[in-house]
Amino acid sequence: MEFLSDSVVLSRMQFALTAIFHMLWPVLTTGMGIYLVIVEGIWLKTKNPDYYLHARFWSKFYVLNFGIGVATGIPMEFQFGTNWAPFSEAVGNFFGSVIGFEASWAFMLEAAFLGIMLFGWERVNPAIHYLSTILVAVGANLSTVWILTANSWMQTPAGGELVDGKFIVHDYFQAILNPFMVNSVLHMFFATLETSLFVIGGISAWYILQQRHAEFFAKSLKIALAAAIAVAPLQIYIGHLSGEQVYHYQPTKLAAMEAQWNSTPAGQPADWSLLAIPNEKAEKNDWEITIPNALGYILEFKQNLSEPVRGLKEWKASDRPHMIGLIYYAFRTMIGIGFFFAGLMLFSTLQWLRGKLAATNISQQRWLMRAWVLAAPLGYIAVESGWIVRCVGRQPWTLYGQIRTVDSASRLPASNVLVSLTGFAVVYTILFITAMYFGSRIIRTGPNLELPIPGTEVTKPAVDTTPGEFVPDERPVEAQQ
């Protein structure tokens, strides 16, 4: 229990807790924002009321995740000033402004139009409402761009240099467009979209299994599947490109991802470790299953490597990542889920082409629907696993190769950090239970299929202008006067 007296370790644990918990919520809002744009666009194009009802139903999940995402994102960013003040002071010239862009460009855009998207259905012109939905989705995904830009710069710092302990920016655009930036943004964009698609598909499959509104939810499942046909293979390819970048720019992380202790020279083939039990103390794997000559094909699509793959033993223990087992299996978890999604997408597409996903017979595909329900939470696990690989594998550096984590942390009493860590754990547990309760209530209640469709109501004039029938006055002449 020595770590309880180490404020740096406790600060890392606190940031890990807040980051992992926060990441659960914007993952769905960024991807589902795009889905809402799709279904509302289909409704405007076809005037099919089902798509309007889909937009209304799925937007409930959007606002639930948006609210908790905001509540948990602000404390996470505050930690840069509380627990990581030396790091913030050193890199604030660039890092601080990029985080500011996320708030001023992305969050404010999303928040400004969210009210119109949620409550403006019968109050604004349909074109204005659709524009609001688009801008909400753009704002949500702009957050991904700026957050990944900041984190990518921490992985591959560019555009300046450290001078007397502070990062001086020479080329702002070079810093933004650092080597990791483009692939990292794309990888996270497709990760959030893929996760959202399989959440929507999984919830739809649950309704179909329960034989509740099967025809209605067959539509949302097919939309998710149609999008996944493009997204699932693209995500695997971009993941490969990200792995190539780790190979070139972060050799210690690659060695940890593969639990490779000894180096493989250039020009030689390298085995790929499928499963292993890494032993950091002995600097070896106690048990391992390998696929001969596979690592070269994974990294470069050829057997012999053009560059060496350096083993962990080439660095001192203080200069390489720890928790090798965590990094190793988090990486394989992410990969396994990505290929599971691709396989489920492929089999579902075949069934669709065979006519097995028609509204009249989709309920008979019980095993396929169960697979979609199983897939619903897996995207979250893949995203969290990817961030574990990305950030734990970067250690012992906060700014890779330039600022160590131990030098980035504020000098706080360990007891203070332990109290705040415990407080976050308690509050976030309550938030998670609350979110699961309201999310499950939305699912149990189901869509309101009786909602009036904008533009279809028969309006009555405020004043009855129908000509009346003439009725002669039958009173005596004296009374008429």
Side-chain angles (χ1 to χ4, degrees):
M1 304 290 285
E2 293 181 2
F3 69 90
L4 293 178
S5 61
D6 190 330
S7 64
V8 176
V9 173
L10 291 172
S11 290
R12 287 184 62 191
M13 292 175 62
Q14 179 174 294
F15 195 87
L17 170 67
T18 54
I20 287 172
F21 187 79
H22 169 68
M23 190 56 60
L24 294 171
W25 316 106
V27 162
L28 194 65
T29 55
T30 51
M32 189 170 282
I34 296 173
Y35 178 83
L36 292 174
V37 169
I38 292 172
V39 292
E40 186 174 348
I42 295 175
W43 170 61
L44 291 173
K45 178 70 175 178
T46 65
K47 301 303 180 183
N48 185 330
D50 278 356
Y51 295 107
Y52 168 78
L53 297 173
H54 271 296
R56 296 295 299 268
F57 174 69
W58 295 108
S59 64
K60 296 177 183 178
F61 292 96
Y62 187 98
V63 71
L64 174 64
N65 282 263
F66 175 82
I68 301 181
V70 172
T72 56
I74 294 173
M76 187 180 72
E77 291 190 354
F78 278 174
Q79 289 175 86
F80 288 113
T82 56
N83 297 66
W84 305 97
F87 173 74
S88 299
E89 185 177 2
V91 302
N93 289 342
F94 176 75
F95 189 82
S97 59
V98 172
I99 295 297
F101 291 159
E102 190 270 335
S104 59
W105 289 30
F107 173 71
M108 295 304 294
L109 177 64
E110 183 181 11
F113 288 92
L114 182 63
I116 300 175
M117 187 189 84
L118 293 175
F119 306 113
W121 286 104
E122 299 172 3
R123 294 176 171 84
V124 300
N125 183 280
I128 298 299
H129 188 278
Y130 189 47
L131 176 63
S132 300
T133 304
I134 292 172
L135 292 175
V136 167
V138 169
N141 284 276
L142 268 179
S143 288
T144 300
V145 172
W146 289 119
I147 293 298
L148 266 295
T149 297
N151 187 269
S152 297
W153 179 79
M154 293 169 66
Q155 306 282 340
T156 50
E161 60 180 338
L162 278 176
V163 178
D164 297 329
K166 290 190 177 182
F167 191 87
I168 305 301
V169 180
H170 299 317
D171 188 330
Y172 210 85
F173 290 102
Q174 185 183 7
I176 290 175
L177 298 172
N178 61 81
F180 265 27
M181 184 266 185
V182 174
N183 281 341
S184 295
V185 169
L186 290 175
H187 195 37
M188 191 61 190
F189 168 77
F190 284 109
T192 59
L193 182 54
E194 188 173 35
T195 299
S196 300
L197 293 175
F198 281 93
V199 167
I200 292 166
I203 294 174
S204 301
W206 182 85
Y207 279 104
I208 293 168
L209 283 171
Q210 300 296 315
Q211 297 185 352
R212 291 179 59 188
H213 315 300
E215 183 177 355
F216 180 80
F217 282 102
K219 288 184 172 69
S220 55
L221 178 63
K222 288 177 183 177
I223 293 173
L225 174 57
I229 292 171
V231 171
L234 270 174
Q235 176 68 327
I236 291 174
Y237 176 67
I238 294 169
H240 164 74
L241 295 180
S242 297
E244 280 188 344
Q245 288 189 320
V246 171
Y247 174 38
H248 295 300
Y249 291 98
Q250 295 183 328
T252 54
K253 181 187 289 186
L254 178 65
M257 288 160 53
E258 300 300 335
Q260 182 159 329
W261 300 95
N262 299 305
S263 298
T264 301
Q268 293 186 14
D271 299 341
W272 182 62
S273 176
L274 179 63
L275 295 172
I277 301 178
N279 186 334
E280 289 190 54
K281 186 174 294 185
E283 296 187 333
K284 68 183 184 69
N285 296 328
D286 291 336
W287 172 85
E288 189 173 19
I289 297 176
T290 61
I291 300 177
N293 306 330
L295 187 57
Y297 291 106
I298 292 173
L299 293 175
E300 300 182 6
F301 295 116
K302 62 183 182 181
Q303 180 172 319
N304 295 335
L305 296 161
S306 59
E307 297 180 21
V309 174
R310 299 172 66 185
L312 288 164
K313 289 182 180 179
E314 286 203 20
W315 293 274
K316 296 184 299 183
S318 59
D319 291 337
R320 67 194 189 204
H322 295 287
M323 296 188 283
I324 303 301
L326 175 64
I327 300 168
Y328 178 88
Y329 279 103
F331 179 60
R332 277 147 184 77
T333 299
M334 177 181 61
I335 291 175
I337 292 172
F339 278 98
F340 174 78
F341 281 164
L344 179 58
M345 174 276 297
L346 181 60
F347 184 75
S348 301
T349 302
L350 292 175
Q351 292 296 88
W352 193 1
L353 294 174
R354 294 175 60 197
K356 301 293 186 180
L357 300 186
T360 54
N361 59 12
I362 193 172
S363 298
Q364 300 171 12
Q365 305 298 311
R366 299 192 66 81
W367 282 106
L368 182 58
M369 295 301 103
R370 290 190 183 107
W372 275 88
V373 173
L374 173 65
L378 294 184
Y380 294 102
I381 298 173
V383 169
E384 301 287 13
S385 297
W387 277 98
I388 288 171
V389 173
R390 187 176 181 88
C391 295
V392 179
R394 189 188 65 234
Q395 299 302 318
W397 307 99
T398 311
L399 189 65
Y400 192 79
Q402 299 191 35
I403 302 177
R404 288 180 175 271
T405 302
V406 69
D407 298 323
S408 301
S410 303
R411 297 295 179 256
L412 300 171
S415 58
N416 290 9
V417 184
L418 182 59
V419 169
S420 62
L421 171 59
T422 304
F424 276 121
V426 171
V427 172
Y428 282 6
T429 299
I430 296 171
L431 275 176
F432 184 78
I433 294 171
T434 304
M436 292 302 100
Y437 168 75
F438 283 107
S440 63
R441 194 170 76 169
I442 293 171
I443 294 173
R444 289 195 307 270
T445 303
N448 182 1
L449 302 184
E450 303 301 321
L451 280 174
I453 309 301
T456 62
E457 301 90 342
V458 177
T459 57
K460 295 182 178 180
V463 178
D464 187 2
T465 58
T466 305
E469 180 181 356
F470 175 74
V471 178
D473 192 345
E474 297 179 353
R475 294 176 300 165
V477 175
E478 296 82 359
Q480 293 181 29
Q481 296 177 350

